[in-house]
Structure formats: structure tokens, C-alpha cells
Amino acid sequence: GDSVTQMEGPVTLSEEAFLTINCTYTATGYPSLFWYVQYPGEGLQLLLKATKADDKGSNKGFEATYRKETTSFHLEKGSVQVSDSAVYFCALRPGGAGSYQLTFGKGTKLSVIP
Amino acid sequence: DVKVTQSSRYLVKRTGEKVFLECVQDMDHENMFWYRQDPGLGLRLIYFSYDVKMKEKGDIPEGYSVSREKKERFSLILESASTNQTSMYLCASSFGSGSDNQPQHFGDGTRLSIL
């Protein structure tokens, strides 16, 4: 079945450091890929998405590129802030009509220190 | 703005009780979902519904049931609560067919403790 593997946390960075959170997936066909963020005490919010190979999703300074050849969707940010401290989830939705379920990775907790 | 509202942020119940978790969305979404979130396990799908009165089992349906009598409301029911159902429960919704690129929108979660 489909699966998502993301790097184990927690990740601790200093403010203005470069961030990479790795995400790889296993799926048949052409899934859509998502990054969600969960701030403390809140539900998940969509951060960015990509729906086909070589698409780049971006939002709030975060970017991720859909790489079909390496089945990856790594999250990057050039300069993190304390306010980026949260748990980040990579997710996929299978391609094809009627595929609504998301498969999530286990999440990566990011802590940014001043 | 998109809004998914879960009825309680925190809930404490006793073993054996019947527990209802309610979720309402105001976006006219066809699909609704219930997940539980546990440390080290991420999010796991319990049940989902793609239409009124329709339901499908997710990955971990045992011990749970759901009800969707109206499009905007999706209820999760713990028939006889047990301590291993202590968890964070998240509701989500999304558009249905013809909207494969649309994301799921989440509520803020209900932290349920079973004593």
C-alpha cells in the first residue's frame, strides 16, 4: 500500500538557519503531495502542495518540489524563525478519481531557538 | 474562510461510557474524516464519509462508529470507551469528486482522556 516516510525528529535549529525535512513516498500512479503544519495546541493547516511531477509548492518561505524520479518531496526554508516551531507532516493522496484519503508521515517536530 | 469546528477541545470520560465527538464544517464539503493522532504514530484514519449517510472504514475502525445524517456534521462515536482510546482526535473535510487537487481542512482537535 501507499506509505510516507519522513525524517525522525525532533529537529532543533537556530534562528535564520537553513531547514530541510526529508520526505519520501511509495505509491502507485501519480499521487498528489502535501505538507501540513501543526502549531502547538492546534489542528493541521495546509502549508503547500504539488499535484504533478516537477511541480514546486511554496508558501510562507517554505518550498518543496515533487521529484518523481526519487519519489521525494523534501521541505526547505532558507531562514527559519522562532514562529516556525511546529510539527510538520508530509502526506500523499493517491492519483485517480475517487481517491480522497490522505496517507501521512509520522511528523517531524521542529524547534527554532533564538 | 474555511471552518471546521469540533465541539470540545478537551474531554474526560470514564471507561465504558458512550462518547460522542462532534464535527461541523461550513464549506459544503462532501467528504469528512476522523483521525486520531498519537505520539510516534502520526495521524491514522478511523472513518471517513463521502456523502450523507455514507461511511467507509479507515485504517483503525475497531471500537468506533460514525454518523452522518447531515452534510455539514460528522459524529464519531466510542461505543464503550476504553483507556487505549485516550488520544487527540482530529476531524477534517474536503470537496469530493472532480476536486482531486483540493486539500483537507482540519479542526483544532479534541483531546480525549478515558479514565
Side-chain angles (χ1 to χ4, degrees):
Chain A
D2 297 342
S3 66
V4 174
T5 303
Q6 59 183 105
M7 61 188 289
E8 297 279 334
V11 174
T12 302
L13 294 174
S14 297
E15 208 164 19
E16 300 185 359
F18 185 86
L19 169 71
T20 300
I21 301 178
N22 290 337
C23 172
T24 57
Y25 67 89
T26 301
T28 56
Y30 300 91
S32 295
L33 301 173
F34 304 84
W35 276 101
Y36 281 83
V37 59
Q38 184 179 33
Y39 298 104
E42 298 183 10
L44 275 68
Q45 302 175 24
L46 178 68
L47 183 58
L48 53 83
K49 68 178 182 181
T51 58
K52 61 183 186 295
D54 300 324
D55 265 1
K56 177 184 281 188
S58 61
N59 186 25
K60 300 181 180 180
F62 291 90
E63 293 183 341
T65 301
Y66 188 151
R67 302 285 188 200
K68 190 162 179 62
E69 64 276 14
T70 54
T71 61
S72 66
F73 192 54
H74 304 321
L75 182 68
E76 297 181 335
K77 186 174 185 182
S79 176
V80 294
Q81 305 300 313
V82 172
S83 57
D84 294 326
S85 298
V87 181
Y88 293 82
F89 291 92
C90 185
L92 73 81
R93 181 171 59 220
S99 299
Y100 308 124
Q101 297 184 62
L102 289 177
T103 298
F104 285 89
K106 293 183 178 180
T108 302
K109 184 175 182 179
L110 170 66
S111 297
V112 180
I113 54 177
Chain B
D1 199 12
V2 164
K3 191 69 175 175
V4 178
T5 303
Q6 295 184 228
S7 55
S8 304
R9 291 298 301 273
Y10 301 93
L11 206 54
V12 180
K13 296 291 182 180
R14 296 206 174 274
T15 303
E17 280 193 70
K18 190 170 186 176
V19 181
F20 294 84
L21 302 184
E22 306 288 345
C23 175
V24 176
Q25 50 93 4
D26 64 0
M27 296 158 286
D28 204 34
H29 284 167
E30 290 82 8
N31 301 329
M32 296 188 76
F33 307 82
W34 274 107
Y35 296 88
R36 64 178 282 176
Q37 182 181 10
D38 300 288
L41 297 177
L43 275 75
R44 294 179 291 168
L45 182 65
I46 304 171
Y47 268 97
F48 70 101
S49 168
Y50 54 88
D51 202 352
V52 175
K53 297 190 185 294
M54 305 302 289
K55 61 183 179 184
E56 294 283 343
K57 293 180 180 179
D59 300 319
I60 51 163
E62 297 78 17
Y64 303 95
S65 63
V66 290
S67 173
R68 189 151 181 219
E69 296 297 318
K70 294 184 177 182
K71 190 176 184 179
E72 67 270 19
R73 185 180 298 270
F74 192 36
S75 302
L76 179 70
I77 304 156
L78 286 66
E79 297 290 345
S80 178
S82 63
T83 54
N84 63 12
Q85 293 178 307
T86 291
S87 186
M88 170 72 90
Y89 289 87
L90 292 167
C91 176
S93 68
S94 72
F95 285 113
S97 61
S99 305
D100 291 340
N101 296 336
Q102 295 300 315
Q104 292 182 17
H105 298 272
F106 284 79
D108 285 339
T110 295
R111 187 166 293 282
L112 175 65
S113 296
I114 307 296
L115 304 180

